[in-house]
Amino acid sequence: MENETGRVEAFSDGVFAIIITILVLELKVPEETGSAFWHGVREQWPHYAAYVVSFLIIGVMWVNHHTIFSHLKRVDRPLLFLNLMVLMVVSVIPYTTNVLAEHLTEGGSANPAAVLYSLVTVAYALAFLLFWWYVTRVGHLFHEQVDKDGARATRVRFGLGAIAYPCTVILAFFSAPLTLVAHFLIAIYYAANQIPIPLVVEEERLESASDLRK
């Protein structure tokens, strides 16, 4: 299924774009008017905070997704379903963002809302990890320039989210605002620490091509 990677990535980009659009649509218009308007704006701070964190999370997800597909030469049927699973989980984020924003300052429901938010990020981390493990398992979908053994070595760093996000679930039982801060810091970490996919140096690639011709 060569030449299909662009089609899959275009579909995925469309889904990411829709998710981010839905995210911003969840911001509420202040009901207050006149001199009370700015008070109404300030009262919406949980929605703004949740929006910023979720936008950053989805943005980092999109960057990582794009990076992987830029190294793929082809796709196959299992990868298509794994990609759909990733998109399915990401699509839930606007819902959990709105739930968390609505209950962030509510004493009785803030923690359960934060737990729900964190559980979805755990599901995403596991879905993305499964996606990456399949891609690197054989390496048959990569471009020839990709160092397949080097790509497999990145699995541990790719899987850090499967450890960090469950910790936010535990934190959510104690403090919903701190949970949101933790998600922000994790997203910043992934945004600032891109995991490069190693490439085969030109000499090794030419040597391998020569061996194949023999």
Side-chain angles (χ1 to χ4, degrees):
M1 297 182 68
E2 295 186 18
N3 303 321
E4 289 292 315
T5 57
R7 182 181 178 187
V8 176
E9 188 174 9
F11 171 78
S12 302
D13 287 348
V15 174
F16 276 107
I18 293 172
I19 293 170
I20 287 180
T21 301
I22 294 174
L23 193 66
V24 72
L25 292 177
E26 294 295 341
L27 295 179
K28 307 298 182 181
V29 176
E31 297 180 357
E32 291 81 356
T33 60
S35 60
F37 173 77
W38 287 112
H39 174 74
V41 171
R42 289 193 299 271
E43 287 296 310
Q44 296 291 334
W45 74 264
H47 288 273
Y48 305 144
Y51 167 77
V52 170
V53 173
S54 293
F55 187 97
L56 184 59
I57 290 174
I58 295 171
V60 172
M61 292 175 181
W62 174 78
V63 170
N64 289 336
H65 188 274
H66 172 72
T67 300
I68 290 178
F69 268 87
S70 67
H71 290 77
L72 298 183
K73 182 179 180 180
R74 61 180 65 86
V75 295
D76 59 8
R77 188 175 179 86
L79 186 71
L80 293 177
F81 283 106
L82 289 173
N83 187 64
L84 285 175
M85 182 171 65
V86 169
L87 297 178
M88 179 184 69
V89 178
V90 179
S91 298
V92 183
I93 292 180
Y95 165 71
T96 56
T97 300
N98 192 41
V99 170
L100 180 59
E102 289 285 349
H103 297 274
L104 189 60
T105 57
E106 301 292 334
S109 55
N111 290 355
V115 170
L116 176 64
Y117 187 89
S118 295
L119 285 175
V120 170
T121 59
V122 170
Y124 169 78
L126 294 176
F128 199 85
L129 180 60
L130 182 60
F131 178 91
W132 182 238
W133 270 74
Y134 178 77
V135 169
T136 57
R137 183 177 62 89
V138 178
H140 61 295
L141 305 177
F142 281 126
H143 283 290
E144 290 81 1
Q145 295 90 342
V146 175
D147 180 356
K148 297 177 178 59
D149 291 331
R152 293 187 190 99
T154 66
R155 287 174 170 176
V156 175
R157 288 188 64 189
F158 262 96
L160 287 178
I163 299 175
Y165 286 124
C167 292
T168 66
V169 176
I170 298 174
L171 180 61
F173 284 99
F174 301 95
S175 173
L178 285 180
T179 302
L180 195 60
V181 172
H183 281 288
F184 176 77
L185 294 177
I186 294 172
I188 290 294
Y189 169 80
Y190 275 112
N193 293 273
Q194 181 181 358
I195 304 175
I197 300 176
L199 302 178
V200 178
V201 296
E202 186 66 18
E203 291 78 7
E204 292 179 354
R205 189 170 64 85
L206 291 175
E207 183 179 347
S208 298
S210 177
D211 291 341
L212 288 175
R213 284 195 295 270
K214 291 178 182 180

